[in-house]
Amino acid sequence: MEAVTVIAQENGAAGFLGGLLPLLLIFAVFYLLLIRPQQQRAKRHRQLVRSIETNDRVVTIGGVHGTVQSVNEETLRLEIAPGTVITVARQAVSRRLIDADTAAGEETGG
């Protein structure tokens, strides 16, 4: 009778681990495909927002292109047309534009 009980307990432990393994694999796949790339994207955006300076050309999340006129802790003043300046949140900046002259200088190392 003891042999039957020991075998049942071993099968129970193997069944538990066998049921847990697919859940762990699913979590690992979600982490690698969804969570980690999103964390890296958020880190790059935080670095971009911190590095914005005056005279940078930027694009906001809403698609507004402009030149940074002044930088505050929470806001930016963008000139979107000659004489037209708007205030936007720093977090609203989607990306920094690189001028053709600047890009050519970086490629040649000058």
Side-chain angles (χ1 to χ4, degrees), residues 6-23:
V6 171
I7 292 173
Q9 288 175 349
E10 289 175 3
N11 286 340
F16 174 73
L17 291 176
L20 188 61
L21 185 62
L23 291 175

Side-chain angles (χ1 to χ4, degrees), residues 27-84:
F27 179 75
V29 168
F30 269 99
Y31 179 77
L32 291 174
L33 295 179
L34 299 174
I35 298 170
R36 188 165 185 266
Q38 179 61 32
Q39 288 175 340
Q40 290 175 338
R41 210 172 298 126
K43 181 180 177 182
R44 283 193 308 267
H45 185 257
R46 281 191 305 273
Q47 290 172 343
L48 168 70
V49 168
R50 273 189 247 124
S51 70
I52 295 174
E53 298 175 353
T54 340
N55 295 325
D56 284 350
R57 300 242 334 120
V58 297
V59 178
T60 66
I61 294 172
V64 177
H65 293 240
T67 304
V68 177
Q69 296 298 312
S70 66
V71 178
N72 193 343
E73 189 173 316
E74 295 291 324
T75 61
L76 302 171
R77 293 188 47 89
L78 294 179
E79 183 177 27
I80 57 174
T84 306

